[in-house]
């Protein structure tokens, strides 16, 4: 099994097209039309076969989403960095531009005083095929991650909130837009790792980045 890289190590690789969101490298290529996206997807497929390392590809009419991580390790490794660089070269050769500023990934966080009491239920109902410590994760990417946050047991208390992981260079813009739209800043003590906001009704969201995380 390859070594999982820290977010700082991933950032030091200088992959301009890519951002780490949670456990994976991600990018979006603005293809403009389906045929261009399909051609790029086909080239990425060939490169993946040559490398014997395969990304998750999501082709839409005007863009192609690419997600890379080492499934056997459960995170980003140097294999992912190498393939990400190759994919960037293929996109550049076609004149296709990356738009990583449009990326985000949502995680649902459940506040609980005892994770071990509720975690088996959520693993069962979401049919998680491969358990991950402290979270329920659909590695296919079809469902958002479910993370368990330790909390007190006094009522009333919030039970669910969203964690929205965004590229580090986009966090401030997202936060300012949310505040301009009527949101309230609840807590920025841990920024830029996460900033807690609330909507006008008091429902909370954490705007998160990979900065300040060890893994």
């Amino acid at each position: 099994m390859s070594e999982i890289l820290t977010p700082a190590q991933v950032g030091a690789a200088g992959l301009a097209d890519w951002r780490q969101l949670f456990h994976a490298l991600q990018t979006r290529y603005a293809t403009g039309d389906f045929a261009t996206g399909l051609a790029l997807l086909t080239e990425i497929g060939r490169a993946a076969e040559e490398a014997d390392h395969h990304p998750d590809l999501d082709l839409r009419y005007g863009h192609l989403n690419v997600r890379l991580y080492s499934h056997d390790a459960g995170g980003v490794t140097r294999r992912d960095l190498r393939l990400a660089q190759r994919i960037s070269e293929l996109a550049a050769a076609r004149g296709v531009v990356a738009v990583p500023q449009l990326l985000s990934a949502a995680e649902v966080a459940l506040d609980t005083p005892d994770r071990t009491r509720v975690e088996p239920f959520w693993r069962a109902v979401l049919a998680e095929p491969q358990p991950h410590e402290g979270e329920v994760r659909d590695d296919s990417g079809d469902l958002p991650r479910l993370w368990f946050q330790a909390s007190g047991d006094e009522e009333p208390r919030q039970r669910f909130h969203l964690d929205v992981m965004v590229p580090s260079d986009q966090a401030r813009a997202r936060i300012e837009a949310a505040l301009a739209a009527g949101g309230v800043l609840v807590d920025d003590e841990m920024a830029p790792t996460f900033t807690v906001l609330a909507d006008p009704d008091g429902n909370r969201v954490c705007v998160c980045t990979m900065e300040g995380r060890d893994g």
Side-chain angles (χ1 to χ4, degrees):
M1 185 181 296
S2 301
E3 177 190 0
I4 297 177
L5 302 177
T6 67
Q9 289 173 313
V10 173
L15 299 172
D17 290 357
W18 300 80
R19 303 291 186 271
Q20 184 176 0
L21 302 182
F22 294 122
H23 65 288
L25 275 177
Q26 294 185 218
T27 191
R28 173 175 293 184
Y29 287 109
T31 56
D33 59 72
F34 194 80
T36 299
L38 184 58
L40 178 58
L41 182 149
T42 301
E43 291 184 348
I44 292 172
R46 292 196 195 100
E49 284 294 296
E50 291 172 1
D52 192 25
H53 189 46
H54 303 91
D56 299 326
L57 303 172
D58 179 10
L59 176 61
R60 307 300 177 96
Y61 176 80
H63 67 265
L64 174 64
N65 292 331
V66 188
R67 187 176 72 147
L68 258 175
Y69 75 100
S70 297
H71 292 73
D72 60 341
V76 178
T77 69
R78 298 205 178 275
R79 283 178 292 162
D80 301 296
L81 301 185
R82 289 193 293 270
L83 186 53
Q85 181 60 47
R86 178 61 181 142
I87 292 171
S88 293
E89 292 168 357
L90 294 172
R94 285 195 165 271
V96 176
V97 176
V99 285
Q101 66 271 20
L102 299 181
L103 294 171
S104 58
E107 171 183 77
V108 179
L110 174 59
D111 295 345
T112 174
D114 183 1
R115 171 176 64 82
T116 61
R117 189 165 60 92
V118 298
E119 189 171 335
F121 169 84
W122 289 102
R123 291 196 189 285
V125 79
L126 295 174
E128 184 190 32
Q130 171 107 25
H132 297 277
E133 182 67 27
E135 64 182 5
V136 179
R137 193 169 90 197
D138 174 13
D139 284 335
S140 70
D142 293 332
L143 296 174
R145 293 157 51 116
L146 175 62
W147 178 68
F148 302 96
Q149 176 172 282
S151 70
D153 55 7
E154 294 183 5
E155 302 292 351
R157 59 188 177 88
Q158 180 173 260
R159 295 295 179 86
F160 273 108
H161 69 267
L162 284 182
D163 292 339
V164 180
M165 180 67 73
V166 304
S168 298
D169 54 1
Q170 298 300 311
R172 177 46 51 190
R174 297 280 186 104
I175 292 168
E176 290 177 354
L179 295 176
V184 175
L185 176 63
V186 176
D187 186 359
D188 62 356
E189 182 179 353
M190 297 300 295
T193 306
F194 66 88
T195 301
V196 184
L197 306 177
D199 71 12
D201 282 348
N203 302 301
R204 295 186 179 186
V205 62
C206 292
V207 178
C208 307
T209 75
M210 294 303 293
E211 285 192 48
R213 299 173 188 264
D214 294 329

